[in-house]
Amino acid sequence: MFRRLRDTAIEVQGHRQLTRGINRAVESGDLEARAAFTSGTGTLAAALTSRGRDTRGAEIHDYGTRVAAAGGGPERVHRLCRD
């Protein structure tokens, strides 16, 4: 039981950090981020529901594809996970 709670807390924390990174990218004028992250999937939905998880994953994949097509490197995608 404790492990499940701990794992859930870690999952929520990671998605919270990712949500902040997405918001920062969009607010900074990152055109690829603005185009890719359109669902409005929040931290709790991404961390706790399969639909939210799948949507967030598809958006991250789309963002990576857009960044690569624009000539950007992997550090642009990686920066989403920085706090």
Side-chain angles (χ1 to χ4, degrees):
M1 177 75 171
F2 176 73
R3 284 185 183 171
R4 292 178 89 181
L5 288 172
R6 184 195 65 207
D7 291 349
T8 300
I10 290 169
E11 189 75 18
V12 169
Q13 182 181 20
H15 277 287
R16 179 175 173 242
Q17 185 178 8
L18 185 54
T19 298
R20 286 179 172 178
I22 290 167
N23 291 341
R24 271 195 313 271
V26 170
E27 290 168 3
S28 73
D30 185 328
L31 298 177
E32 288 77 28
R34 188 170 290 155
F37 298 106
T38 59
S39 72
T41 301
T43 298
L44 292 178
L48 302 177
T49 69
S50 58
R51 181 176 169 206
R53 179 199 63 221
D54 294 347
T55 301
R56 168 85 37 104
E59 287 177 332
I60 291 171
H61 179 268
D62 184 37
Y63 179 62
T65 302
R66 289 172 184 272
V67 167
E75 64 280 346
R76 270 185 68 195
V77 178
H78 179 70
R79 76 176 179 180
L80 295 177
C81 297
R82 295 183 189 154
D83 210 9

